């Protein structure tokens, strides 16, 4: 019965007139889907989603100045479930808003428990989904969470993709205008992966633009792509916005970004996303060298 219900849900996402041939492979796929749904529901209900933290570093010093909170899902039976798998399930089940709420709660508690603002960590980035951006009580929930855990609101920056901003423009602008006076900041995420419409940057009060990793990777193999990347950085800086470059994997890329005057970077060259304990260890090692 559960497999049939899952098959029905899959059919709703397919073209009219399509059908599913329930062979062994399809049955296994449907069973996997049901298992992920169950694991996700349990993790949300019991607040057992994991949050990893990928360091955000200053280009000039190479030191950690912040981190991006990235949600992870582990199940005792399934093991680690890739984000690209369970995030899609969460969106299709209408649970992505709950996932986002749990990430904000876990991250706020982590910041508070370890008083990260006293450890040279001045920014904590959290991604907002399109559905969260459409929520009219989002600012109320965020401020209540910050107050509950006793964390400074000006440590937090919420990352929003261009598509999410466009889909929720009116409500998102209201939310931003309600949170910015408290010190909360907003960054456009994945700039360069979609339309990269400059009017979106103009309409929304972003404090930073995060350039998508595809633009940086493309600039290493194409002179035209490098020209586009360099001019993108210059454009953002001329608007007095901070520039964050993600996907840094080599020393050559890091040097290029330093020459261009990029403000902050993240990527495997500096660190992969880390569980909370390892992030704190990395941070302690850095501070002991200072």
């Amino acid at each position: 019965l559960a497999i049939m219900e899952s098959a029905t849900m899959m059919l709703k996402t397919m073209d009219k007139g399509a059908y599913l041939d329930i062979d062994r492979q399809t049955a296994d796929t449907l069973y996997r889907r049901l298992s992920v749904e169950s694991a996700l529901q349990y993790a949300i209900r019991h607040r057992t989603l994991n949050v990893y933290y990928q360091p955000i570093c200053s280009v000039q010093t190479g030191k950690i100045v912040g981190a991006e909170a990235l949600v992870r899902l582990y199940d005792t039976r399934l093991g680690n479930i890739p984000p690209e798998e369970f995030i899609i399930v969460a969106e299709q089940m209408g649970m992505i808003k709950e996932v986002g709420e749990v990430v904000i709660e876990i991250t706020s508690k982590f910041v508070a428990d370890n008083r990260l603002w006293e450890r040279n960590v001045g920014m904590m980035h959290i991604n907002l989904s399109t559905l969260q951006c459409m929520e009219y009580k989002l600012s109320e929930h965020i401020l209540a969470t910050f107050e509950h855990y006793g964390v400074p609101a000006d440590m937090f920056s919420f990352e929003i993709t261009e598509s999410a901003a466009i889909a929720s423009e009116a409500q998102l602008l209201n939310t931003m205008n309600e949170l910015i006076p408290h010190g909360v900041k907003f960054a456009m995420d994945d700039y360069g992966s979609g339309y990269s419409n400059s009017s979106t940057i103009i309409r929304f009060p972003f404090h930073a633009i995060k350039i998508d990793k595809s633009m940086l990777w493309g600039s290493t193999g194409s002179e035209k792509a490098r020209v586009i990347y360099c001019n993108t950085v210059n454009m953002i800086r001329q608007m007095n916005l901070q520039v964050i470059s993600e996907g840094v994997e080599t020393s050559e890329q890091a040097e290029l970004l330093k020459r261009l005057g990029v403000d902050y970077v993240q990527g495997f060259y500096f660190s992969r996303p880390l569980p909370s304990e390892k992030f704190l260890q990395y941070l302690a090692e850095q501070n002991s060298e200072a």
Side-chain angles (χ1 to χ4, degrees), residues 216-217 220 247-258 269:
L216 177 61
W217 293 351
T220 61
V248 184
E249 295 190 347
T250 68
S251 59
E252 290 78 15
Q253 290 173 340
E255 284 300 317
L256 170 64
L257 298 175
K258 189 172 184 177
Y269 177 71

Side-chain angles (χ1 to χ4, degrees), residues 32-66:
R32 169 74 181 188
R33 159 80 184 221
L34 289 170
S35 299
V36 173
E37 287 180 9
S38 177
L40 184 59
Q41 289 172 329
Y42 180 91
I44 292 173
R45 185 167 59 250
H46 296 278
R47 295 305 197 255
T48 56
L49 281 168
N50 296 317
V51 176
Y52 278 38
Y53 302 94
Q54 185 169 29
I56 296 175
C57 301
S58 165
V59 170
Q60 297 303 318
T61 67
K63 300 292 186 180
I64 300 174
V65 294

Side-chain angles (χ1 to χ4, degrees), residues 88-264:
I88 291 175
V89 172
E91 290 173 341
Q92 293 176 344
M93 293 179 66
M95 295 170 57
I96 192 66
K97 187 175 74 171
E98 287 79 2
V99 170
E101 290 173 354
V102 174
V103 172
I104 294 172
E105 291 173 11
I106 292 175
T107 304
S108 298
K109 185 177 188 304
F110 175 65
V111 170
D113 287 349
N114 297 283
R115 300 182 69 83
L116 292 185
W117 60 89
E118 297 178 354
R119 300 191 185 201
N120 299 320
V121 175
M123 63 174 76
M124 187 62 69
H125 283 232
I126 300 175
N127 295 284
L128 291 181
S129 68
T130 301
L131 282 181
Q132 283 178 288
C133 292
M134 293 178 175
E135 184 184 357
Y136 76 97
K137 287 190 176 181
L138 178 62
S139 59
E140 181 181 322
H141 170 75
I142 288 173
L143 292 175
T145 302
F146 290 167
E147 182 177 0
H148 175 76
Y149 289 105
V151 293
D154 61 4
M155 271 194 65
F156 291 83
S157 178
F158 290 100
E159 296 188 6
I160 300 163
T161 62
E162 183 178 21
S163 59
I166 293 172
S168 58
E169 180 173 350
Q171 183 53 53
L172 177 58
L173 281 170
N174 288 336
T175 298
M176 296 172 87
N177 290 329
E178 289 168 353
L179 289 175
I180 287 174
H182 295 272
V184 177
K185 301 177 183 67
F186 292 85
M188 178 185 280
D189 193 16
D190 297 337
Y191 185 80
S193 64
Y195 293 109
S196 303
N197 195 329
S198 58
S199 66
T200 307
I201 299 178
I202 296 170
R203 291 201 309 274
F204 291 88
F206 294 113
H207 87 288
I209 307 297
K210 178 179 280 189
I211 302 177
D212 189 71
K213 59 189 177 184
S214 62
M215 288 192 70
L216 177 61
W217 293 351
S219 71
T220 61
S222 165
E223 184 59 32
K224 290 182 179 178
R226 178 169 293 213
V227 169
I228 292 173
Y229 189 86
C230 293
N231 280 283
T232 298
V233 171
N234 290 333
M235 177 189 72
I236 296 169
R237 286 177 54 80
Q238 288 173 13
M239 288 189 285
N240 295 316
L241 298 174
Q242 294 180 350
V243 184
I244 306 171
S245 185
E246 65 177 1
V248 184
E249 295 190 347
T250 68
S251 59
E252 290 78 15
Q253 290 173 340
E255 284 300 317
L256 170 64
L257 298 175
K258 189 172 184 177
R259 291 196 303 272
L260 290 176
V262 168
D263 298 288
Y264 304 108

